[in-house]
Amino acid sequence: MQEKIQNLIGGKLCPPINQTYFDNINPATGEVYAQIPDSQAEDVATAIEAAEKAFPSWSSCGQELRSKFLHKIADAIEANLDALALDESIDNGKPLSLAKSVDIPRAVSNFRFFASAILHTHNESHYTEPIAINYTHRSPLGVVGCISPWNLPLYLFTWKIAPALAAGNCVVAKPSEITPMTAYRLSQICVEVGLPAGVLNIVHGFGASVGEPIVVAPTVKAISFTGGTQTGARIAALAAPMFKKLSLELGGKNANLIFADCKLEEAVATSVRSSFANQGQICLCGSRILVEKSIYEDFKTEFIKQVKALKTGDPLDEHSNLGAVVSEAHQQKVLSYIALAQKEGGKILTGGNAVKPEGRCENGFFIEPTVIENLNQNCRTNQEEIFGPVVTLDTFDNDAEALAKANATTYGLATSVWTENLTRAHNLAQKLESGVVWINCWLLRDLRTPFGGMKQSGVGREGGFEVLKFFSEEKNICIKL
Ligand code: NAD
């Protein structure tokens, strides 16, 4: 009997009102293994009502109590780390080792971080000599919507929910319909730890039937969204005329700049990770590798050698470096980009094919890590987000050309720069059109830092105190002395 995922509404796990479900597929085997509620606007309306009802007491119970609840959730996630990692791996196709070491620990950190951060906020005061004193006051917004994607399911879901709750809001959240399982486990945990009814509501289903009703509901004051740029544009078009607060974390086409003076060994090893971690399905993956001409052949030889050594296969096998991509449709999309790259004149240096592992994963959706060269930066392969295990190699002659090529897309999420010349690194970092710049590293995250993109990679910043500001309304109070 397949497990039926339930919505969390008003503190209760419940089926969708229409009692309709759709299939949840394990991408490593191609098998249906659970059922997902096909919720509709009526479920969202019930969730919003429950959130509105919970808001007065949650927003006024004090940050210490809210902090305690967030810690309880973090403790419960940590206590179930192995089971949750297995759920995440089965639902998404990612290696179990990655879910265990990154996804689930990060969900714990998200709750712990904001449980603590909310105890360390402060307000501002401005003395207008000698006649008045102003102070700023922050209050929660009310009911807010959180919508997240499939690539880092629990990690990104909790990255929104934790600060929204910490700041005193009540939440209606929608995980991706492609990877809903750990969001369901989170709802079970919330019931278990006694989170007050209606504070967090989780509604499962498709973007059009669940996401949009959240976005357009007049009483939902803010939308925090992570996903594709096109979806972000749709959400902005719906929400902007309603003057909602919007935080949009969107796609990327990130450059990875390798200068001749870098520590080559480290640059190659990290580039393998930044290209293919999570099958290249991280918005921060560096999919355009740009190498200074004088070391191009050396970098290429070592990079290809290490990529060829990566094992693609059963995500539950601890020796697998890459698991399955998230779905058959996504596999087809990525393969179509590999075909396009060849049409555009690209030369495949390694990979390029679907993989059929022997045994239980023979019907899964796997793709070889793929490296392509001989493409200019204007072609579609280098302009459009592929979001799979595919990277291109290109060269540059000097800093100006590196910068121009790095900035030559409509996206602006993250860039890595590999150089031992700190002046160059600093100068480039100023000019890169990118919300995140990593010098001699990748995915080194401090949760206090602002996180987000420029250009079509998004609007707004998550993380640290920035996101607590997003999830609250600031007011200035002026007292005449
Ligand atoms: P997606 O845009 O298809 O879906 C994201 C979420 O939005 C899902 O829950 C989906 O159901 C929902 N949705 C879809 N249409 C909607 C609508 N009209 N109204 C409201 N909600 C709607 O994205 P995806 O394929 O799940 O995720 C991959 C994308 O996410 C990539 O582009 C990737 O770069 C991006 N991403 C960005 C970041 C970041 O921090 N910038 C992080 C991770 C992923």
Side-chain angles (χ1 to χ4, degrees), residues 61 67 124 169 181 235 343 382:
C61 71
S67 170
E124 288 178 7
N169 303 282
M181 189 53 90
I235 289 174
K343 261 195 222 144
N382 273 327

Side-chain angles (χ1 to χ4, degrees), residues 147-152 156 159-160 174-178 205-215 223 225-232 234-235 238 248-252 281-284 326 330 333 385 387 411 413 451-453 457-458 462:
I147 302 176
S148 62
W150 51 256
N151 63 323
L152 301 166
L156 289 175
W159 180 233
K160 298 181 179 306
K174 189 194 107 54
S176 169
E177 65 277 21
I178 302 170
F206 292 101
S209 40
V210 175
E212 289 207 10
I214 297 174
V215 172
I223 300 293
F225 169 78
T226 299
T229 295
Q230 265 189 334
T231 316
R234 168 84 184 145
I235 289 174
L238 292 170
L248 302 172
E249 300 293 340
L250 311 176
Q281 302 167 135
I282 302 180
C283 55
L284 304 164
V326 78
H330 194 56
K333 178 189 151 183
E385 187 183 42
F387 215 54
Y411 293 108
L413 191 53
F451 176 86
S457 288
E462 295 190 312

Side-chain angles (χ1 to χ4, degrees), residues 184-257:
Y184 176 46
R185 299 290 180 237
L186 175 67
S187 32
Q188 292 173 315
I189 283 173
C190 289
V191 173
E192 217 176 270
V193 304
L195 185 71
V199 164
L200 171 63
N201 304 274
I202 299 177
V203 187
H204 294 271
F206 292 101
S209 40
V210 175
E212 289 207 10
I214 297 174
V215 172
V216 300
T219 52
V220 173
K221 304 288 189 226
I223 300 293
S224 172
F225 169 78
T226 299
T229 295
Q230 265 189 334
T231 316
R234 168 84 184 145
I235 289 174
L238 292 170
M242 302 176 84
F243 306 109
K244 293 195 183 200
K245 281 185 114 174
L246 275 179
S247 168
L248 302 172
E249 300 293 340
L250 311 176
K253 190 75 187 175
N254 310 308
N256 180 12
L257 304 177

Side-chain angles (χ1 to χ4, degrees), residues 72-92:
K72 276 189 191 178
I73 296 172
D75 291 345
I77 296 175
E78 196 164 43
N80 289 292
L81 192 146
D82 286 345
L84 284 163
L86 184 61
D87 282 326
E88 202 72 297
S89 171
I90 292 171
D91 216 22
N92 173 278

Side-chain angles (χ1 to χ4, degrees), residues 28-29 93 115-116 145 169 229 312 318 375 412 471:
T29 62
S116 169
N169 303 282
T229 295
T312 303
E318 61 180 33
L375 287 168
F471 280 122

